[in-house]
Amino acid sequence: MCNATETLLVHEKIAKILLPALKNELDKKGVELVGCDKTRSIIPAGEAKEEDWRAEYLDYKLSIKVVRDINEAIN
């Protein structure tokens, strides 16, 4: 599964709209979701660990982090 997306960064201003719709579609494909605390306050997902932000899962798994700005996303 090369070129797969393992981590998705979502701006906090659109997270409450985007994440439920995204989860609905990814559930149809059997994608496992893990997320930061902000993500998990919006949608059901497993708890992301620090290593999830660098992981190549090679599976139907996606880590999601809600960020407040471009600087947080870059860090």
Side-chain angles (χ1 to χ4, degrees):
M1 291 174 85
C2 292
N3 297 318
T5 301
E6 275 92 11
T7 299
L8 176 66
L9 304 177
V10 178
H11 193 277
E12 65 186 5
K13 288 186 179 179
I14 65 164
K16 288 183 180 177
I17 295 168
L18 177 71
L19 292 180
L22 180 68
K23 178 170 177 31
N24 184 51
E25 292 304 312
L26 292 176
D27 281 351
K28 294 175 186 177
K29 302 293 183 182
V31 177
E32 176 187 356
L33 301 177
V34 296
C36 67
D37 291 341
K38 290 179 185 177
T39 298
R40 294 182 303 112
S41 73
I42 299 169
I43 60 171
E47 182 178 355
K49 310 282 190 248
E50 188 60 36
E51 60 267 14
D52 286 307
W53 310 125
R54 297 179 298 280
E56 280 193 63
Y57 300 119
L58 302 176
D59 202 351
Y60 290 109
K61 185 174 181 179
L62 178 67
S63 57
I64 303 172
K65 183 170 182 130
V66 176
V67 296
R68 67 182 169 276
D69 57 32
I70 189 76
N71 292 320
E72 185 178 359
I74 291 169
N75 287 331

